[in-house]
Amino acid sequence: MTEFTIRRAGEQDYDAMMEIYESARVFMREHGNPNQWGKSWPSARIVRRDIEDGSGYVCEAEGKVVAAFCYQYGHAAIYDSIDGAWKKESPEYGMIFRIASSGDIKGAAGACLDWAFGQCGDLRIDTRGENYPMIGLLTKKGFSYCGQVPDSVRRAYQRVE
């Protein structure tokens, strides 16, 4: 079994993160989800901001960065109300944004989700309905579909203790 290490991203991780995000965009296009990240999401500015504000994280295995994501704890206005219902209403919770793996080592994205859940015990994430690989992973990792993010095509998921 592969051992994964999750750590806060630093400037030295920027290039690897951008490569992972590019690989994820290609994967999404090839698997019927061309619009979620298009050709340029997340932008270089967003990835640098994640690194600078401390919300950017990487997952390492076998000596290299194999996944990247943004983890935040607190509150996001976008999740104030969904067309549905959260399993647990909380004033603060963990959130994952922009999660992607290189695809080089199986289980990296799942390790990121497990790590983030371990930080908070109440984790929220959203994705498009066409992102079947992510929806499958979220289901496997114990997330429940809670509803639609208002004014968007994104589906909201939550995992709670």
Side-chain angles (χ1 to χ4, degrees):
M1 185 167 175
T2 304
E3 185 174 325
F4 296 101
T5 302
I6 310 292
R7 64 172 174 77
R8 207 169 245 134
E11 184 58 34
Q12 74 278 7
D13 300 307
Y14 172 79
D15 290 338
M17 293 171 77
M18 292 304 290
E19 287 175 21
I20 287 169
Y21 287 131
E22 176 57 27
S23 176
R25 288 189 290 271
V26 170
F27 179 88
M28 284 190 229
R29 282 193 299 274
E30 291 174 350
H31 290 85
N33 185 19
N35 299 315
Q36 183 165 343
W37 284 2
K39 295 184 178 182
S40 61
W41 185 260
S43 68
R45 183 182 61 79
I46 296 287
V47 175
R48 286 202 188 280
R49 185 193 68 204
D50 289 348
I51 292 169
E52 290 167 6
D53 73 14
S55 65
Y57 286 82
V58 294
C59 174
E60 291 181 315
E62 299 178 6
K64 67 180 191 171
V65 174
V66 295
F69 63 102
C70 172
Y71 171 78
Q72 297 174 354
Y73 184 83
H75 168 262
I78 191 74
Y79 292 151
D80 280 348
S81 64
I82 58 172
D83 295 333
W86 294 111
K87 291 178 63 69
K88 177 182 176 184
E89 288 289 345
S90 304
E92 294 188 319
Y93 39 82
M95 298 160 282
I96 284 196
F97 303 103
R98 300 178 287 285
I99 184 170
S101 73
S102 65
D104 294 337
I105 299 180
K106 187 171 175 60
C112 297
L113 292 171
D114 288 342
W115 175 88
F117 181 72
Q119 305 304 300
C120 62
D122 181 354
L123 186 59
R124 297 179 185 190
I125 188 170
D126 63 71
T127 193
R128 289 176 83 111
E130 305 86 38
N131 196 344
Y132 299 114
M134 179 55 72
I135 291 169
L137 177 60
L138 293 174
T139 301
K140 177 182 174 184
K141 289 296 180 177
F143 285 79
S144 297
Y145 172 69
C146 296
Q148 199 78 14
V149 175
D151 301 321
S152 120
V153 296
R154 297 189 324 265
R155 299 167 50 104
Y157 291 82
Q158 183 179 34
R159 180 177 170 193
V160 295
E161 290 182 306

